[in-house]
Amino acid sequence: MSTGTALAVDPHVVTCTLAPRFEAVRTARDFARSTLQRWNLTELFDDVALVASELVTNALRHAIGARPDQPGGIQGEYDFPLQPTAGGRLPIRISLVHRAPQVVCAVSDPSSTGPVAREADFVAESGRGLHLVESFSRSWGWHPLGSGKVVWAMFEAEEVGGSPLDGHPGLGGRSALDGPVDVGGRHRRSA
């Protein structure tokens, strides 16, 4: 359950504030599905949903920390704000940005500690999330914010229409003989 989805003035930049519950991961996937459907980019859903799940899980698990269960409290509830606080503490938010042909999935949280990929341990139940993010996105990274951070992953959407110059290589377009476009390899940046 989200606390609300806000559409900005630009319909290609959407954000959802996540409730402090384990169900926030499902909310992030649902948000990604509905947004990608609206943008006619459903072919990206599996990859974006997996990465969104990992980033939100990391924000809940590592950036926030579980609140001790209190009498009458709800198990699995986390201690983080739903709105920015006077002290500058940020809630967890997921944002999707579409700038053709790219889509960026970004998750912000109140911790300023950057994510660190651990050595892969194939026996452990956790610790492979950032390896999945790297595998399923074109690139990923993180940036500190005033009071927190944002972790992002970029995806390449298939361009359905291509360029109006395609088929006219003499004018700068691509011909069918050019083959696939090389968009380069993955890279990771951190602040």
Side-chain angles (χ1 to χ4, degrees):
M1 152 184 229
S2 71
T3 59
T5 300
L7 279 174
V9 175
D10 183 345
H12 295 287
V13 179
V14 291
T15 298
C16 177
T17 300
L18 301 172
R21 306 275 304 140
F22 292 126
E23 291 83 11
V25 176
R26 184 179 63 194
T27 301
R29 285 193 302 267
D30 292 344
F31 172 74
R33 178 187 313 278
S34 64
T35 301
L36 292 171
Q37 284 174 339
R38 204 169 33 253
W39 292 341
N40 294 317
L41 295 173
T42 54
E43 74 276 3
L44 289 179
F45 173 71
D46 290 336
D47 292 349
V48 173
L50 182 133
V51 168
S53 296
E54 292 299 331
L55 295 181
V56 170
T57 298
N58 283 351
L60 289 169
R61 180 177 290 155
H62 300 292
I64 306 305
R67 180 187 326 179
D69 290 332
Q70 300 172 2
I74 301 171
Q75 185 175 10
E77 201 170 286
Y78 286 84
D79 182 19
F80 68 91
L82 296 177
Q83 298 293 325
T85 65
R89 198 159 170 233
L90 300 173
I92 291 182
R93 290 190 173 128
I94 181 170
S95 300
L96 292 174
V97 179
H98 179 221
R99 296 289 184 251
Q102 290 138 352
V103 172
V104 174
C105 173
V107 174
S108 59
D109 67 60
S111 171
S112 58
T113 304
V116 177
R118 295 190 292 188
E119 194 65 36
D121 181 352
F122 298 102
V123 179
E125 290 186 25
S126 65
R128 293 181 286 276
L130 292 177
H131 295 287
L132 291 172
V133 170
E134 185 168 10
S135 295
F136 284 86
S137 64
R138 183 169 185 277
S139 61
W140 75 277
W142 71 281
H143 296 283
L145 300 173
S147 175
K149 69 175 173 300
V150 62
V151 183
W152 57 266
M154 184 175 67
F155 303 86
E156 292 287 330
E158 296 293 323
E159 290 197 57
V160 178
S163 166
L165 298 176
D166 285 354
H168 305 283
L171 299 174
R174 298 179 45 77
S175 94
L177 301 175
D178 289 338
V181 177
D182 179 14
V183 293
R186 290 186 166 84
H187 68 278
R188 183 183 325 173
R189 290 190 294 169
S190 64

